[in-house]
Amino acid sequence: FKPIEPDIRIQPQGVIVMSESLHVVCPACDAVNRVPRERLGAAANCGKCHGPLFLGQPLALDESRFARHLSRSDLPLLVDFWAPWCGPCRMMAPAFEAAAARLEPNLRLVKVNTEEAQALAARYGIRSIPTLALFRGGAEVARTAGAMDTNGITAWARRAL
């Protein structure tokens, strides 16, 4: 896990205040934003495109966007590896969306279509779908296969962190 650089601010009275900042990749333009940890729950916006940094729903990522979110964000990524022809994947989609609303801003939930990102699925050894993989600091820390409901996804992600 990458160390978090302190954000140093000098108050008008000359008092130096340090707070931890996190790097958060924008879901719209993929710009890297520095967000103070205490402002994660607030309505943080991207410094480049001015869109919200947290949407409360999963992001659909291709291989290049996945690489950027994985390597540049300090937020853990919960990835749903899925395919459009997979019945259990389609059944789990609403639960994964509801889990995103519960887990953001502490995690970024993303979906990777294994039909479109076959090299990515091969790199991570995805053998069955749906597969949920949790990444932290650029490395996979937990994995589970099979469809789950919203409570199952949320509980599994919190335990795995």
Side-chain angles (χ1 to χ4, degrees), residues 1 70 75-79 107 124 132-144 156-161:
F1 192 64
L70 185 64
L75 295 177
L77 286 184
L78 178 56
V79 184
L107 282 101
Y124 290 105
L132 295 181
L134 184 62
F135 294 85
R136 186 174 201 167
E140 185 176 337
V141 295
R143 178 185 293 211
T144 188
W156 178 82
R158 287 182 176 149
R159 273 193 317 269
L161 282 176

Side-chain angles (χ1 to χ4, degrees), residues 19-35:
S19 66
E20 291 181 352
S21 290
L22 298 175
H23 294 105
V24 177
V25 179
C26 176
C29 71
D30 294 331
V32 179
N33 293 266
R34 198 171 175 159
V35 180

Side-chain angles (χ1 to χ4, degrees), residues 7-18:
D7 183 18
I8 300 172
R9 296 186 185 149
I10 300 175
Q11 299 294 324
Q13 302 85 4
V15 177
I16 297 175
V17 177
M18 291 178 55

Side-chain angles (χ1 to χ4, degrees), residues 39-40 50-51 64 84 95 100 110 144:
R39 290 199 50 228
L40 274 183
H50 307 291
S64 64
V110 303
T144 188

